[in-house]
Protein backbone atom coordinates (compact mmCIF):
# COMPACT_ATOMS: atom_id res chain seq x y z
CA UNK A 1 0.00 0.00 0.00
CA UNK A 2 2.79 2.42 0.88
CA UNK A 3 4.62 1.74 -2.36
CA UNK A 4 1.49 2.32 -4.46
CA UNK A 5 0.77 5.60 -2.62
CA UNK A 6 4.38 6.66 -3.22
CA UNK A 7 4.08 5.89 -6.94
CA UNK A 8 0.75 7.76 -7.15
CA UNK A 9 2.33 10.80 -5.51
CA UNK A 10 5.20 10.74 -7.99
CA UNK A 11 2.69 10.46 -10.82
CA UNK A 12 0.67 13.44 -9.53
CA UNK A 13 3.86 15.49 -9.27
CA UNK A 14 4.78 14.55 -12.83
CA UNK A 15 7.95 12.74 -11.79
CA UNK A 16 8.78 9.91 -14.16
CA UNK A 17 9.77 6.66 -12.55
CA UNK A 18 10.68 3.22 -13.85
CA UNK A 19 7.99 0.61 -13.26
CA UNK A 20 10.55 -1.78 -11.74
CA UNK A 21 12.07 0.83 -9.40
CA UNK A 22 12.09 -0.35 -5.80
CA UNK A 23 12.27 1.56 -2.55
CA UNK A 24 15.70 0.02 -1.98
CA UNK A 25 16.97 1.43 -5.27
CA UNK A 26 15.51 4.81 -4.36
CA UNK A 27 17.17 4.88 -0.95
CA UNK A 28 20.58 3.54 -1.92
CA UNK A 29 23.05 3.25 -4.76
CA UNK A 30 24.30 -0.07 -6.08
CA UNK A 31 27.82 0.90 -4.99
CA UNK A 32 26.59 1.47 -1.42
CA UNK A 33 24.90 -1.93 -1.36
CA UNK A 34 28.12 -3.58 -2.57
CA UNK A 35 30.08 -1.72 0.11
CA UNK A 36 27.65 -2.93 2.78
CA UNK A 37 28.09 -6.49 1.59
CA UNK A 38 31.86 -6.14 1.72
CA UNK A 39 31.44 -4.99 5.33
CA UNK A 40 29.57 -8.17 6.25
CA UNK A 41 25.93 -7.42 5.46
CA UNK A 42 24.12 -10.26 3.72
CA UNK A 43 22.92 -9.68 0.16
CA UNK A 44 19.28 -10.73 0.59
CA UNK A 45 16.43 -8.22 0.23
CA UNK A 46 15.68 -7.87 3.96
CA UNK A 47 19.34 -7.32 4.86
CA UNK A 48 19.79 -4.69 2.17
CA UNK A 49 16.58 -2.94 3.27
CA UNK A 50 17.98 -2.92 6.81
CA UNK A 51 21.18 -1.39 5.41
CA UNK A 52 19.18 1.39 3.75
CA UNK A 53 17.27 2.04 6.98
CA UNK A 54 20.50 2.17 8.97
CA UNK A 55 22.07 4.46 6.37
CA UNK A 56 19.22 6.98 6.61
CA UNK A 57 18.32 6.76 10.29
CA UNK A 58 19.26 9.56 12.61
CA UNK A 59 18.33 7.91 15.87
CA UNK A 60 17.00 4.58 17.14
CA UNK A 61 16.50 2.63 13.92
CA UNK A 62 14.08 -0.28 14.19
CA UNK A 63 15.74 -3.19 12.44
CA UNK A 64 14.07 -6.54 11.82
CA UNK A 65 17.04 -8.83 12.09
CA UNK A 66 16.36 -12.48 12.96
CA UNK A 67 19.91 -13.56 12.04
CA UNK A 68 21.75 -10.78 13.92
CA UNK A 69 23.74 -9.86 10.79
CA UNK A 70 22.46 -6.27 10.55
CA UNK A 71 23.34 -5.60 14.19
CA UNK A 72 26.86 -6.98 13.70
CA UNK A 73 27.15 -4.90 10.52
CA UNK A 74 26.02 -1.74 12.34
CA UNK A 75 28.33 -2.28 15.30
CA UNK A 76 31.29 -2.85 12.97
CA UNK A 77 30.40 0.11 10.75
CA UNK A 78 29.96 2.50 13.69
CA UNK A 79 32.68 1.12 15.96
CA UNK A 80 34.23 4.56 16.49
CA UNK A 81 30.95 6.02 17.74
CA UNK A 82 29.21 5.61 21.07
CA UNK A 83 26.67 2.93 20.16
CA UNK A 84 24.76 0.87 22.70
CA UNK A 85 23.15 -2.36 21.61
CA UNK A 86 19.89 -3.33 23.29
CA UNK A 87 16.82 -5.46 22.75
CA UNK A 88 13.17 -5.38 23.80
CA UNK A 89 14.07 -8.39 25.91
CA UNK A 90 16.71 -6.50 27.94
CA UNK A 91 15.57 -5.49 31.44
CA UNK A 92 17.23 -2.10 30.98
CA UNK A 93 15.76 -1.45 27.51
CA UNK A 94 13.95 1.80 28.40
CA UNK A 95 16.89 3.05 30.46
CA UNK A 96 19.24 2.46 27.51
CA UNK A 97 17.02 4.52 25.21
CA UNK A 98 16.73 7.43 27.65
Amino acid sequence: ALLSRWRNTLDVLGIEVREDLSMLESLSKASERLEWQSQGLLGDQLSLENGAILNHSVRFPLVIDPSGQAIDFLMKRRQNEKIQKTSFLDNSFMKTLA
Side-chain angles (χ1 to χ4, degrees), residues 4-97:
S4 63
R5 286 182 24 204
W6 175 65
R7 287 182 184 271
N8 287 337
T9 301
L10 293 175
D11 189 41
V12 168
L13 294 172
I15 299 172
E16 294 183 28
V17 63
R18 291 187 348 239
E19 285 301 316
D20 63 339
L21 185 64
S22 70
M23 287 291 236
L24 182 59
E25 287 181 28
S26 297
L27 295 174
S28 64
K29 298 176 185 174
S31 60
E32 288 176 314
R33 294 188 297 271
L34 287 172
E35 181 183 345
W36 300 338
Q37 289 177 23
S38 74
Q39 294 172 340
L41 192 65
L42 296 177
D44 63 279
Q45 186 73 19
L46 179 60
S47 296
L48 293 173
E49 288 172 356
N50 281 336
I53 290 167
L54 293 171
N55 201 40
H56 288 278
S57 65
V58 177
R59 193 172 172 180
F60 306 137
L62 174 62
V63 176
I64 300 168
D65 185 31
S67 69
Q69 287 291 97
I71 301 302
D72 294 341
F73 164 74
L74 176 63
M75 297 305 287
K76 180 180 174 186
R77 186 175 170 101
R78 307 285 182 159
Q79 63 188 345
N80 295 329
E81 299 175 31
K82 185 180 175 186
I83 300 283
Q84 287 185 293
K85 180 169 65 170
T86 189
S87 167
F88 293 116
L89 302 175
D90 291 345
N91 290 333
S92 61
F93 176 73
M94 292 304 292
K95 183 179 177 183
T96 303
L97 294 181

